[in-house]
Amino acid sequence: MFQEALSAGILSASQLNWEDEQDVKVATHHHRKMSTSSLLAHYSPQLRDDQVQKVDKYLEHFRLSDQTLMDVSLRFRREMDKGLCRDTNPTAAVKMLPTFVRSTPDGTEQGEFLSLDLGGANFRVLLVKVMADGKQKVEMENQIYAIPEHIMRGSGTELFDHVAECLANFLEKLGIKDKKLPLGFTFSFPCHQTKLDESILLSWTKAFKSSGVEGRDVVSLLRKAIRKRGDFDIDIVAVVNDTVGTMMTCGYDDQNCEIGLIVGTGTNACYMEQMRNLDMLEGDEGRMCVNTEWGAFGDDGALEDLRTDIDREIDAGSLSPGKQLFEKMISGMYLGEIVRLILVKMAREQLLFQGKTTSELLTNGHFSTSYIYGIENDKDEEGIVNAEKALCSLGLDPSLEDCIATRRVCQIVSTRGAHLCATTLAAVLRQIRDNKAAEKLRSTIGVDGSVYKNHPEFSRRLNKMLRRLVPDCDVRFMLSQDGSGKGAAMVTAVAFRLASQNAERQRVLDTLRLSREQLLEVKKRMSEEMARGLSKQAHDQSSIKMLPTYVRSTPDGTEHGDFLALDLGGSSFRVLLVRVRSGKKPSVDMHHKIYSIPQETMQGTGDELFSHIGYCIADFLEYMGLRGASLPLGFTFSFPCHQTKLDEGILLKWTKGFKASGCEGQDVVRLLKEAIRRKQDFDLNFVAVVNDTVGTMMTCSYEDPSCEVGLIVGTGTNACYMEEMHNVELVEGNDGRMCINVEWGAFGDNGELDDFCTHFDRTVDECSNNPGRQRYEKMISGMYLGEIVRNVLLEFTAKGLLFRGKMSERLKTRGIFETKFLAQIESDRLAMRQVRSILQHLGLTGSTCDDSVLVKEVCSVVACRAAQLCGAGLATVVDKIRQNRNLNQLSITVGVDGTLYKTHPHFSRIMQETLQDLAPQCQVTFHKSEDGSGKGAALITAVACRMKNEEHH
């Protein structure tokens, strides 16, 4: 027993029953046994090596180096790109056809599906039952029907009538004619697919010649034939190519399967591609299976340097010269023929059979590819015996040397096929790996086809070379069971699952979508609440407080001087020196220092807190060389206050973790004045207590005088605007204007938003620190959007519509889905990579590409609603200003600040579109504010000083 260098086969040799070959023309069984044993009597490793060397030298062009194979793989990757790109696709050899299959099975598919497999003189009808209850199981019943020759060559109407009749017969036999079942249709002819259920036949092949079908959609022809009968109805969901069917069948058993491969009579592959790379189609979310049609690789000359004279001869003698050149080097239809031509050539050059040929050897197609499977048996002796049988069947009288040489020819030809197949597969794997930006890719390839299944060494050689070409991919091959039948049912089952899951998800998301009518209603109700907030009688009952700010004017550019600003709104606070200069080019120059407030001071006594602030101001003046200077000061105090004058703010309640005692109900300006008086080494001239929304408006109006509205959309949300004094009933005087701090976050606290709130909003509200308060803010601002999204994701997962129904413990944690994730997810142009890493951070390690698309959709619906609600609020405010001034058209600028507005990729656009739609008579410009709380406070102080001086004059 000799060990051949290439042995160690994975598959056991498929023992071909050579005795059954009709054309074996050798004398008798007895003689064959004799000659075989006598043939092997002279066998020696030396003899084998001599023959192997001779053949290797003769066929050196067939033996491709690793370097060459790597190069072919890169060429194929370029061909894939050409096929995917809209501009180059028309001339690309590798067509990369979209299949409209959007997902692989996830194991939750269930139901009964019909499958129709039409690809030859017989066709099959199958009933496939898919079970998902804990154990994935598939049961199938099928029936084969013949297509008579006269129908294959008759009219298309006859053909589809025949198919419909067989379908009816099948349904009747199973007693399911009254059910309307979904059907998947495997139609194995060249088609141009335009939708999952629409496929236009380009040309008939394989002896079919039905008239009136080419150039038409085969699904509508089949539907028409079924309708005409009227005795049953089915729902044709998908047209499927057999390669895709192969991937889907394996994908049901192994969810890492995203490539389908066929190496049989022909060869082809398909794989799951990112939509954004499919230039030919609209949309860039999620994935779609692409049918590469790689048999045509090289039809544009890309493989000319590798093709041998034998390849050219094969092509010239084929039914389709110049087409499918790659396939002709690999697939079962051609491997035997390549070997035959090599044997003829070697005989003619006196290298085999003592220079003799026979008419059988010279006849096209007489060396069957199945001979190769037997000759390449992993046992040397059996392989040689099989070679002798094959050669004798061609009327030759081979010597032992001839048999050894023939075996070597078969090995070289099929090894080249396996290696070339590895190059294109490697390119596909690299594409998938790059799409996922993965260091290492784990992937399963679903395979079918007679060469892969029956050749004893093909799969092992393919596998081994693939590992050499893509060492960073961990690849497993899985044999497909009935890709064209079960596969078509799987495609249908997945399409069905996606459709029903999508309908259920949209039903939930629709509760978060607002119609134009609803937005107009929000505007109307807010307008009513604002009027109540301004009126003396209704003010106390109104949810929107419309607080007077005592800011009477916006900057006019003549402000001049040095001002101090304090900005207190969190655990750190700032002291700023702001130098405002008037003249031809008004300018603002700022210096500041940040001080922290220790936790124990935030929660100690008011005296301690304000003494600490006083100490920091003294330090800052010292630092700026202004010790002892008395400067006007603006104080941004971002806590709920009641103002009765510009320089007085009564603290209503502490928020944001502050708990200093003895402050609530007190005037914060007085508390700070007293603290400074205790220090006594400097004096301050208090001018203004400022809310950050008003600061935002003032900062912007310094640069754009038409800015009369301030808007904040960040952690919280609020707005302010310049109101006519005669509408402000809470403050004496009717002349001029005053800035009103709307405090619109509390809109809805009297139930005005109840009919727009979803159960997600109610959950978020109930779990918040202030249930029942700030209802409008909770639908809009950054502090809450992530929480709304998290609750939607929880519901989707519980219903099995997301993450395959597997709940992550981390996702159950309140606040874990940060609002900044919404901005990151929606600005994701990186094929969902951002989404994936965020989901992994949330403990969802098994999330799929489809999950990422869904999470993005949820984020987008929640953010869109927030932006629309904010737009409706803003429309109320600008329309009020327009009506106050009796204008038909108003041009106005809004100063905006806040992280949500500034960092979210779509918020500002959607908000502006809503505003435009709901307040069409207002021309609104947006101006992003820089430092409303610091610079804004100083500018309010500067305006107040300017107005004081004007009054004195």
Side-chain angles (χ1 to χ4, degrees):
M1 164 66 202
F2 307 106
Q3 202 51 40
E4 210 250 309
L6 268 163
S7 80
I10 299 170
L11 298 180
S12 65
S14 72
Q15 298 297 312
L16 292 171
N17 197 344
W18 294 86
E19 276 70 23
D20 290 348
E21 291 282 355
Q22 302 86 356
D23 46 2
V24 171
K25 300 196 175 93
V26 188
T28 64
H29 190 60
H30 174 73
H31 168 73
R32 200 172 313 115
K33 270 211 136 32
M34 281 266 308
S35 71
T36 300
S37 50
S38 63
L39 194 70
L40 287 173
H42 302 110
Y43 184 81
S44 72
Q46 184 55 52
L47 183 70
R48 185 195 64 206
D49 293 347
D50 291 346
Q51 288 305 312
V52 164
Q53 240 171 333
K54 174 180 85 176
V55 174
D56 285 2
K57 191 165 173 234
Y58 188 75
L59 292 182
E60 65 181 342
H61 289 314
F62 276 81
R63 302 172 67 223
L64 307 174
S65 68
D66 283 14
Q67 189 51 54
T68 303
L69 293 168
M70 198 50 134
D71 178 54
V72 173
S73 187
L74 294 172
R75 284 185 219 181
F76 184 67
R77 183 86 186 267
R78 285 197 293 273
E79 291 295 315
M80 286 169 70
D81 289 342
K82 272 191 208 164
L84 287 171
C85 173
R86 181 176 293 147
D87 301 338
T88 48
N89 175 280
T91 56
V94 180
K95 282 298 178 208
M96 305 296 279
L97 305 172
T99 65
F100 300 88
V101 170
R102 297 297 308 262
S103 172
T104 50
D106 72 353
T108 64
E109 290 76 17
Q110 52 189 334
E112 290 188 312
F113 303 94
L114 288 168
S115 187
L116 191 58
D117 177 13
L118 176 63
N122 292 326
F123 77 98
R124 287 186 307 156
V125 183
L126 303 93
L127 173 68
V128 182
K129 288 183 184 161
V130 185
M131 271 78 75
D133 44 351
K135 299 187 284 293
Q136 289 172 227
K137 205 159 92 233
V138 178
E139 288 174 3
M140 301 199 284
E141 295 189 55
N142 73 58
Q143 175 80 42
I144 294 177
Y145 295 93
I147 302 179
E149 179 112 6
H150 72 274
I151 289 184
M152 282 166 75
R153 298 178 176 283
S155 74
T157 314
E158 288 174 80
L159 173 67
F160 286 101
D161 284 352
H162 175 66
V163 171
E165 187 179 337
C166 298
L167 251 174
N169 168 278
F170 180 76
L171 297 174
E172 188 133 346
K173 246 172 57 182
L174 292 178
I176 51 174
K177 217 169 173 183
D178 52 344
K179 286 189 183 175
K180 182 177 180 176
L181 293 176
L183 175 134
F185 185 11
T186 302
F187 187 71
S188 304
F189 298 93
C191 280
H192 169 59
Q193 204 161 348
T194 41
K195 296 199 212 117
L196 186 60
D197 63 349
E198 185 175 273
S199 202
I200 287 143
L201 175 67
L202 298 175
S203 59
W204 283 117
T205 53
K206 317 182 214 183
F208 273 78
K209 285 274 183 294
S210 285
S211 61
V213 183
E214 291 181 346
R216 295 183 61 190
D217 167 29
V218 294
V219 174
S220 52
L221 292 172
L222 178 57
R223 279 190 184 132
K224 195 169 151 194
I226 293 170
R227 260 203 309 274
K228 194 161 69 183
R229 292 182 60 86
D231 59 343
F232 71 94
D233 192 12
I234 50 173
D235 180 12
I236 304 174
V237 173
V239 185
V240 186
N241 158 298
D242 54 351
T243 318
V244 181
T246 298
M247 174 187 82
M248 295 297 269
T249 313
C250 296
Y252 184 67
D253 300 311
D254 178 342
Q255 280 151 15
N256 281 320
C257 181
E258 42 193 349
I259 300 175
L261 167 68
I262 289 190
V263 193
T265 317
T267 180
N268 191 14
C270 67
Y271 70 101
M272 294 304 287
E273 177 57 275
Q274 296 285 349
M275 277 297 287
R276 74 198 152 99
N277 294 334
L278 275 155
D279 232 15
M280 313 289 290
L281 299 179
E282 292 303 307
D284 54 5
E285 308 267 279
R287 304 184 302 165
M288 181 181 285
C289 178
V290 166
N291 165 14
T292 63
E293 288 293 345
W294 77 15
F297 176 33
D299 289 7
D300 57 357
L303 294 172
E304 279 320 292
D305 51 334
L306 299 184
R307 292 176 69 231
T308 62
D309 295 345
I310 302 280
D311 293 311
R312 293 193 174 87
E313 199 175 328
I314 288 263
D315 179 47
S318 73
L319 293 171
S320 55
K323 295 210 165 81
Q324 300 294 95
L325 298 182
F326 183 66
E327 179 168 87
K328 285 171 184 164
M329 297 165 87
I330 289 180
S331 76
M333 190 155 175
Y334 305 99
L335 290 179
E337 191 58 10
I338 295 173
V339 171
R340 186 187 70 79
L341 289 175
I342 291 170
L343 297 180
V344 168
K345 204 169 167 207
M346 288 181 78
R348 286 188 173 146
E349 294 179 31
Q350 307 290 320
L351 293 168
L352 284 178
F353 318 131
Q354 296 165 317
K356 293 194 183 73
T357 58
T358 63
S359 61
E360 285 95 332
L361 179 65
L362 294 174
T363 308
N364 205 329
H366 267 209
F367 194 97
S368 152
T369 295
S370 60
Y371 291 175
I372 299 176
Y373 307 156
I375 293 171
E376 284 209 55
N377 188 304
D378 58 352
K379 293 193 177 66
D380 261 11
E381 299 97 317
E382 285 186 37
I384 287 163
V385 170
N386 287 335
E388 191 198 16
K389 288 175 190 168
L391 295 170
C392 290
S393 75
L394 296 173
L396 293 158
D397 183 12
S399 65
L400 175 60
E401 287 85 343
D402 290 337
C403 294
I404 294 171
T406 299
R407 184 162 189 254
R408 186 61 180 167
V409 171
C410 291
Q411 285 170 345
I412 287 175
V413 168
S414 56
T415 299
R416 179 182 75 154
H419 286 178
L420 282 172
C421 189
T423 64
T424 45
L425 263 183
V428 169
L429 283 160
R430 269 199 213 95
Q431 174 83 352
I432 293 176
R433 191 196 61 203
D434 291 353
N435 282 345
K436 291 185 177 170
E439 294 290 307
K440 200 167 169 61
L441 177 70
R442 274 197 60 198
S443 198
T444 298
I445 299 173
V447 210
D448 205 349
S450 51
V451 175
Y452 189 92
K453 285 182 169 172
N454 301 331
H455 189 299
E457 296 286 329
F458 190 92
S459 60
R460 188 183 59 80
R461 290 176 193 150
L462 168 63
N463 225 329
K464 197 170 162 189
M465 181 47 73
L466 190 59
R467 280 201 299 273
R468 295 225 298 259
L469 293 173
V470 276
D472 43 9
C473 294
D474 173 12
V475 180
R476 139 169 205 237
F477 286 86
M478 184 174 188
L479 281 176
S480 157
Q481 254 52 58
D482 190 13
S484 47
K486 181 175 161 189
M490 272 303 142
V491 171
T492 310
V494 168
F496 223 67
R497 164 177 67 79
L498 290 179
S500 64
Q501 287 181 338
N502 190 44
E504 174 60 17
R505 277 192 300 264
Q506 294 312 325
R507 204 186 53 65
V508 173
L509 289 178
D510 280 344
T511 63
L512 288 155
R513 293 188 172 106
L514 297 173
S515 66
R516 184 164 188 269
E517 285 58 46
Q518 288 174 303
L519 290 167
L520 282 166
E521 182 60 28
V522 169
K523 181 184 171 194
K524 176 170 154 278
R525 293 182 195 179
M526 184 179 274
S527 176
E528 289 162 4
E529 278 305 297
M530 282 171 65
R532 282 155 56 87
L534 285 172
S535 90
K536 218 171 202 157
Q537 291 148 276
H539 175 83
D540 290 346
Q541 287 79 54
S542 166
S543 60
I544 303 183
K545 286 301 175 211
M546 304 295 282
L547 305 172
T549 64
Y550 297 88
V551 170
R552 301 293 306 267
S553 166
T554 52
D556 67 0
T558 63
E559 293 76 17
H560 196 92
D562 292 357
F563 305 91
L564 277 179
L566 288 188
D567 176 14
L568 176 65
S571 57
S572 62
F573 82 104
R574 293 184 304 158
V575 186
L576 304 94
L577 172 68
V578 183
R579 297 200 155 110
V580 182
R581 298 290 174 261
S582 58
K584 274 208 175 108
K585 270 196 175 164
S587 69
V588 177
D589 180 33
M590 301 199 288
H591 302 273
H592 74 146
K593 205 167 167 183
I594 296 177
Y595 297 90
S596 68
I597 302 176
Q599 194 71 23
E600 58 271 19
T601 309
M602 283 166 74
Q603 304 188 347
T605 68
D607 284 354
E608 288 166 358
L609 175 64
F610 284 98
S611 294
H612 176 69
I613 294 173
Y615 164 78
C616 296
I617 299 173
D619 173 81
F620 178 76
L621 290 172
E622 183 86 47
Y623 165 74
M624 292 301 296
L626 291 169
R627 191 172 171 188
S630 173
L631 295 174
L633 175 127
F635 186 8
T636 301
F637 186 71
S638 303
F639 298 93
C641 277
H642 171 59
Q643 263 185 287
T644 48
K645 301 203 290 253
L646 184 59
D647 60 355
E648 178 182 279
I650 313 283
L651 175 64
L652 299 175
K653 63 174 195 316
W654 282 121
T655 54
K656 311 182 210 182
F658 276 77
K659 292 219 172 50
S661 60
C663 300
E664 291 184 356
Q666 301 293 316
D667 171 14
V668 293
V669 173
R670 192 179 53 73
L671 293 173
L672 184 52
K673 271 186 176 157
E674 285 169 3
I676 288 171
R677 213 166 286 131
R678 287 197 294 274
K679 263 193 89 56
Q680 279 183 354
D681 55 357
F682 66 99
D683 190 22
L684 286 178
N685 167 9
F686 281 89
V687 178
V689 180
V690 185
N691 161 294
D692 54 351
T693 317
V694 183
T696 297
M697 176 187 82
M698 294 299 266
T699 318
C700 295
S701 63
Y702 186 71
E703 290 162 36
D704 177 348
S706 57
C707 176
E708 298 185 75
V709 181
L711 169 68
I712 289 193
V713 197
T715 317
T717 180
N718 192 14
C720 68
Y721 71 103
M722 296 304 288
E723 177 59 272
E724 307 301 314
M725 272 300 287
H726 59 78
N727 290 334
V728 186
E729 294 184 8
L730 299 168
V731 179
E732 292 300 307
N734 284 330
D735 297 341
R737 293 176 183 153
M738 180 181 284
C739 178
I740 293 293
N741 166 12
V742 181
E743 287 294 346
W744 75 11
F747 176 48
D749 292 6
N750 292 342
E752 307 91 325
L753 291 169
D754 286 3
D755 40 348
F756 305 117
C757 283
T758 63
H759 63 281
F760 303 115
D761 296 304
R762 287 189 274 280
T763 305
V764 169
D765 176 50
E766 284 155 16
C767 299
S768 69
N769 299 331
N770 52 349
R773 318 251 308 254
Q774 302 293 95
R775 296 303 300 268
Y776 182 63
E777 178 167 86
K778 285 173 185 164
M779 295 169 86
I780 292 178
S781 78
M783 190 155 175
Y784 304 100
L785 294 189
E787 235 350 64
I788 299 175
V789 168
R790 187 182 70 82
N791 277 287
V792 177
L793 299 184
L794 285 177
E795 177 163 320
F796 277 1
T797 311
K799 288 186 168 173
L801 303 171
L802 191 60
F803 309 133
R804 299 198 178 118
K806 293 191 181 74
M807 192 67 80
S808 125
E809 280 310 310
R810 294 201 61 181
L811 193 57
K812 293 182 183 166
T813 317
R814 233 191 96 208
I816 189 100
F817 199 100
E818 300 170 49
T819 295
K820 68 170 186 202
F821 293 163
L822 269 81
Q824 287 165 359
I825 285 171
E826 283 211 70
S827 46
D828 192 347
R829 301 294 302 125
L830 292 170
M832 308 285 160
R833 282 177 206 168
Q834 300 257 57
V835 190
R836 193 165 238 160
S837 62
I838 288 169
L839 293 179
Q840 278 169 349
H841 162 77
L842 297 174
L844 295 155
T845 44
S847 68
T848 63
C849 176
D850 297 339
D851 290 334
S852 298
V853 173
L854 279 170
V855 170
K856 188 167 175 179
E857 186 180 10
V858 173
C859 290
S860 137
V861 168
V862 169
C864 173
R865 181 186 73 155
Q868 288 177 323
L869 282 169
C870 190
L874 208 48
T876 316
V877 171
V878 294
D879 244 350
K880 176 147 189 13
I881 297 175
R882 181 183 66 77
Q883 286 158 358
N884 283 346
R885 302 181 187 175
N886 290 319
L887 293 171
N888 194 18
Q889 284 282 315
L890 169 73
S891 282
I892 197 165
T893 300
V894 176
V896 209
D897 203 352
T899 43
L900 188 60
Y901 183 91
K902 287 183 171 175
T903 60
H904 192 283
H906 311 303
F907 191 95
S908 57
R909 176 182 55 78
I910 296 168
M911 181 186 89
Q912 288 170 32
E913 285 167 0
T914 309
L915 169 63
Q916 188 66 52
D917 183 36
L918 303 184
Q921 291 162 281
C922 301
Q923 223 16 78
V924 184
T925 313
F926 287 84
H927 195 305
K928 282 188 191 163
S929 150
E930 299 312 323
D931 191 16
S933 46
K935 184 171 161 185
L939 283 168
I940 289 174
T941 310
V943 169
C945 291
R946 182 200 86 206
M947 290 181 76
K948 224 179 241 159
N949 293 339
E950 284 169 5
E951 280 166 26
H952 288 317
H953 293 124

